Amino acid sequence: MKKEVKNIDRFDISNSKVTMKAVVTTGNGGYEKLDYRDVPIPKLEENEVLIQVLSAGVNNTEINTRLGWYSSKVTTSTNDLGTVDEEKEKAAETGDGGWNEATPFPFIQGTDCCGRVVAVASEEDKKLMNSRVLVRACIRSQGWDSLENIWMASDFDGAFAQFVKVPASEVFPVDCDWSDAELGTIPCAYGTAENMINRANVSKGDHVLVAGASGGVGSAAVQLAKRRGAIVTAIAGESKLEKIKAIGADNVIPRNKDIIGCLGEKSVDVVVDNVAGASFGKMIKVLKRGGKFVSSGAIAGPLVELDMRDFYLKDLTLIGCTAWDEPVFPNLISYIEKGEIRPILAKTFPLENIVEAQIEFSEKKHIGKFVLIPPKIEDIEKFLSEED
């Protein structure tokens, strides 16, 4: 059921002096680098739209970017990085801690966005006005024939603010009865998971092993693999196993158990693994001949050991995933509107409490997603019309 909202006309904010609340990340470092303050509302260019942010999910990537974990000079897990000052300093000094190029500090993070379109720059985009939307955070910047990509909140300003501007091509109206906070759990985690499931061509009857199944991406992967008819075995902490079974896992394995002993070698068709670290070799061992290992992360450590004989003698396929493929986001919108997936909202926080949210997020005691809620603006038309 689509929510009824007041119809409003296109706003011209090109000369507006109005400011908004935002969290500005000022550089590589700790929580002191997160500055909640007033900043100018972004001005639109051709084919862009302005979105009032209704909710913004919390992800590993925002923390990793702030800490400089994407630098090639960092070799530790994401959990350890907060205490490894030498590696953080190397990343900050060389400026290579971003996904593609140097991170554009200071800037606004926030990869997930559920919002409402409140202004457009081009006449052809007026059909989007006042729509409740999700934003596709991964943009294939050179078209679908190239894997080159840029990301909202990594390469340009994101959704940890009251407003964000994005290309109209990356905005997807969604018609459902989910809350704004529930929709805010979807873009990054489910987009990343669907991209991996899609690239690995998961099909009915496949045995899929999902590592880190209690996290945002892992719990999404469990649901999305089950949606395709796969048999899912999930790995998670002991205290979270029952909840992982409740979202669809057929079998669960405690994180510290020997997965080879539990499953046996050559027992799994596809491994979905954003954990890596010391468990990588065992993940390769449990794959069947012709199996696929797909990954978009390495939270337990980016450097792994691979016995090349396991790789080539079993005809394995290793699939790296960052750039989202064209069907991924339209697929997610259809799954939501058909009721084929459900959000896993762990907790919400006011945007100004981002430090509290990231601290609790890093403790990894939750299942699903944390979501930030910006200050609400009741009368958008009046707010955007202010000149001082």
Side-chain angles (χ1 to χ4, degrees):
M1 180 179 67
K2 192 169 184 176
K3 290 188 175 181
E4 291 296 327
V5 293
K6 176 185 174 185
N7 187 41
I8 53 180
D9 295 324
R10 175 179 182 269
F11 294 122
D12 181 1
I13 59 168
S14 58
N15 297 314
S16 176
K17 298 177 183 178
V18 180
T19 61
M20 64 178 182
K21 295 293 185 182
V23 176
V24 178
T25 304
T26 59
N28 288 125
Y31 298 115
E32 77 283 354
K33 298 297 184 180
L34 299 174
D35 186 7
Y36 182 70
R37 67 191 194 208
D38 291 322
V39 301
I41 288 180
K43 294 180 179 179
L44 299 183
E45 298 180 11
E46 188 176 1
N47 298 321
E48 291 181 334
V49 301
L50 184 71
I51 295 173
Q52 179 193 10
V53 179
L54 302 175
S55 67
V58 177
N59 298 285
N60 278 306
T61 184
E62 287 109 19
I63 297 172
N64 294 344
T65 297
R66 171 172 54 78
L67 293 175
W69 182 79
Y70 294 106
S71 169
S72 59
K73 294 179 173 55
V74 173
T75 59
T76 57
S77 75
T78 58
N79 289 337
D80 293 335
L81 188 56
T83 61
V84 185
D85 292 334
E86 184 178 345
E87 291 193 351
K88 285 199 297 184
E89 288 171 6
K90 286 180 182 177
E93 286 170 6
T94 56
D96 69 344
W99 290 40
N100 297 300
E101 299 177 357
T103 306
F105 298 117
F107 77 121
I108 299 168
Q109 294 184 286
T111 311
D112 288 328
C113 180
C114 165
R116 194 173 301 284
V117 177
V118 295
V120 301
S122 304
E123 285 295 316
E124 60 266 32
D125 297 323
K126 288 185 72 172
K127 61 184 180 296
L128 293 171
M129 278 296 295
N130 216 27
S131 298
R132 192 167 66 143
V133 299
L134 292 178
V135 176
R136 178 167 56 193
C138 178
I139 299 174
R140 294 287 277 271
S141 51
Q142 297 182 21
W144 297 109
D145 292 332
S146 169
L147 288 171
E148 293 298 323
N149 61 92
I150 58 174
W151 283 71
M152 181 173 79
S154 182
D155 298 299
F156 61 94
D157 283 344
F160 288 166
Q162 288 178 294
F163 297 91
V164 63
K165 72 169 185 174
V166 295
S169 60
E170 309 310 308
V171 172
F172 290 76
V174 58
D175 184 354
C176 69
D177 60 1
W178 292 15
S179 70
D180 298 331
E182 288 173 327
L183 282 171
T185 68
I186 293 296
C188 185
Y190 282 76
T192 299
E194 176 69 6
N195 197 43
M196 290 192 286
I197 297 294
N198 185 65
R199 288 263 186 101
N201 194 27
V202 170
S203 304
K204 185 176 181 179
D206 284 346
H207 185 186
V208 177
L209 176 63
V210 179
S214 63
V217 175
S219 57
V222 170
Q223 286 194 57
L224 293 167
K226 283 299 297 180
R227 186 201 155 273
R228 294 185 181 219
I231 300 163
V232 177
T233 296
I235 302 172
E238 185 92 46
S239 64
K240 302 175 181 178
L241 297 181
E242 287 305 312
K243 290 184 178 178
I244 299 304
K245 289 178 70 174
I247 65 171
D250 298 285
N251 309 292
V252 291
I253 298 175
R255 182 184 298 126
N256 296 324
K257 285 280 190 179
D258 177 12
I259 62 170
I260 298 177
C262 292
L263 295 174
E265 293 192 23
K266 300 180 181 179
S267 59
V268 172
D269 297 289
V270 177
V271 169
V272 177
D273 178 29
N274 275 10
V275 177
S279 65
F280 175 83
K282 294 179 180 180
M283 299 286 182
I284 297 297
K285 289 285 188 185
V286 299
L287 279 169
K288 296 177 181 177
R289 182 178 296 278
K292 301 168 187 174
F293 178 98
V294 59
S295 175
S296 64
I299 61 172
L303 303 186
V304 298
E305 289 188 5
L306 170 63
D307 187 331
M308 287 298 294
R309 292 163 295 187
D310 285 326
F311 174 50
Y312 73 80
L313 290 175
K314 291 203 297 181
D315 296 284
L316 300 182
T317 300
L318 303 184
I319 307 171
C321 290
T322 294
W324 291 355
D325 293 335
E326 188 172 10
V328 166
F329 220 71
N331 283 354
L332 290 178
I333 298 299
S334 71
Y335 301 161
I336 293 169
E337 293 184 338
K338 294 176 183 176
E340 295 178 349
I341 59 175
R342 53 181 171 164
I344 308 176
L345 177 62
K347 191 174 181 178
T348 63
F349 298 79
L351 177 62
E352 63 188 289
N353 291 354
I354 185 172
V355 171
E356 177 188 340
Q358 288 195 352
I359 289 172
E360 191 168 336
F361 177 93
S362 297
E363 293 172 352
K364 305 294 185 185
K365 295 179 180 179
H366 63 289
I367 294 176
K369 293 291 294 285
F370 287 168
V371 170
L372 299 171
I373 308 297
K376 189 174 182 179
I377 300 168
E378 295 294 346
D379 191 335
I380 293 293
E381 183 171 5
K382 180 179 179 182
F383 179 82
L384 291 179
S385 299
E386 294 290 338
E387 290 295 327
D388 295 302

